[in-house]
Amino acid sequence: MTSVPNITLNNGVEIPQLGFGVFQVPAGETKAAVIQALEAGYRHIDTAELYGNELEVGEAVRASGIPREQVFVTSKLTNAAHDPDDAAKAFDNTLAALDLDYVDLFLIHWPMPAVGDYVETWKAMEKMYAGGKVRAIGVSNFNPAHIRRLLDNSDIIPAVNQIEVHPYLTQEDVRAYNFDNGPITEAWSPLGKGQVLADPVIGAIAQRLGKTPAQVTLRWHIQLGSIVIPKSVTKSRVEENFAIFDFELTPEDMAAISALNKDQRTGPDPEQNNRIPAPPV
């Protein structure tokens, strides 16, 4: 079985660079989908309270027979729980839903500046980290200005910033800021909800390499140094998305794919998204 590279976070915790996302996977299908992913070789599962399937993710991890320490589990703080006391309760609810002794990574799902002060929320996250039931803490959908406020007003640098990234939304400025300031970039919607798969540039590279457009796109993410969490409930696609470590893109391929950027989002802009709940991406 292919070995997925690990990335070392800024606190020394290692995270598999390729993970399996369960956004929009119905709760009734989640357990089977996660078990299928684990059987294919994935050892990193990404969920969130807003997804409504934490319970089933936990069931799958326990039912897989894989030692708990070999499966990296991420979840996220729900948007309605930015008050520090609410955040602590939400984290306990996540642990209870997953029915796990700890989570490997816990993220603030959205900054939501009109809802609460995410700096105070982050300080609550720091207390969770000090409590020992989460191995690393980070953020999701934070722009550089959001992270800068955290760095100026708290003690712990986020380990991860999970943002929308794909060839039509390369977010080079956010990725560069992450790289320079500590968080690792993690890409959600890495295939642009499938929109990039019909792109002729990606198609031509895929044809030359004997790979699929999805494999080429995911390989682009890997070579950028990002963590990437594709999602599928189709067994063949789950396996296809995992088979991206037996080839490399050339520098010319990487540049050609990056040049496809259109600043085209498939989800909300963090600067404008202040609804509760925000779209759970």
Side-chain angles (χ1 to χ4, degrees):
M1 184 176 294
T2 301
S3 178
V4 176
N6 284 338
I7 287 181
T8 302
L9 302 178
N10 57 25
N11 69 342
V13 168
E14 292 189 344
I15 181 173
Q17 192 175 7
L18 175 67
F20 181 75
V22 296
F23 169 55
Q24 290 186 328
V25 179
E29 299 176 24
T30 298
K31 180 178 179 181
V34 173
I35 288 175
Q36 180 174 266
L38 292 170
E39 289 175 345
Y42 294 82
R43 293 296 182 268
H44 171 187
I45 310 298
D46 180 276
T47 184
E49 181 177 338
L50 280 172
Y51 300 171
N53 54 23
E54 288 177 315
L55 186 148
E56 291 76 16
V57 166
E59 288 178 344
V61 170
R62 294 192 305 277
S64 70
I66 299 169
R68 169 67 186 92
E69 64 273 13
Q70 294 181 20
V71 182
F72 194 101
V73 178
T74 298
S75 194
K76 309 177 191 77
L77 178 72
T78 186
N79 292 326
H82 273 234
D83 177 85
D85 289 340
D86 293 340
K89 293 173 185 175
F91 178 66
D92 288 342
N93 290 341
T94 282
L95 285 176
L98 290 166
D99 195 13
L100 299 174
D101 292 334
Y102 65 93
V103 293
D104 296 278
L105 178 64
F106 197 55
L107 308 176
I108 299 178
H109 206 154
W110 290 85
M112 308 294 286
V115 174
D117 185 350
Y118 55 81
V119 171
E120 295 305 311
T121 310
W122 183 250
K123 290 178 180 178
M125 299 277 284
E126 291 180 323
K127 291 180 180 178
M128 297 171 199
Y129 179 67
K133 291 189 176 181
V134 56
R135 299 176 64 222
I137 54 175
V139 296
S140 182
N141 302 299
F142 273 49
N143 285 336
H146 300 134
I147 296 177
R148 191 175 301 115
R149 278 199 68 219
L150 293 186
L151 299 180
D152 289 343
N153 295 282
S154 56
D155 296 323
I156 298 177
I157 298 171
V160 163
N161 185 15
Q162 187 182 115
I163 58 175
E164 181 179 359
V165 180
H166 48 77
Y168 289 171
L169 182 71
T170 57
Q171 298 238 58
E172 291 186 11
D173 56 339
V174 184
R175 290 190 293 106
Y177 187 87
N178 290 342
F179 181 82
D180 289 340
N181 290 277
I184 298 293
T185 297
E186 183 169 8
W188 64 258
S189 193
L191 304 178
K193 293 188 176 177
Q195 295 175 18
V196 306
L197 302 184
D199 190 282
V201 171
I202 294 174
I205 294 170
Q207 185 174 25
R208 190 189 83 236
L209 294 172
K211 298 295 180 180
T212 67
Q215 288 173 320
V216 166
T217 303
L218 293 174
R219 184 69 203 181
W220 172 78
H221 285 283
I222 293 294
Q223 290 183 216
L224 285 177
S226 301
I227 304 162
V228 60
I229 46 171
K231 179 215 76 176
S232 179
V233 296
T234 304
K235 185 174 186 292
S236 60
R237 289 178 183 167
V238 170
E239 294 172 346
E240 172 188 319
N241 290 344
F242 191 78
I244 58 172
F245 298 104
D246 60 349
F247 72 101
E248 288 191 3
L249 302 176
T250 66
E252 293 76 17
D253 293 336
M254 293 292 293
I257 295 171
S258 294
L260 298 174
N261 178 56
K262 304 176 182 179
D263 293 330
Q264 180 176 306
R265 294 182 181 274
T266 69
D269 184 337
E271 295 295 338
Q272 301 172 3
N273 182 22
N274 284 302
R275 291 174 292 170
I276 297 180
V281 290

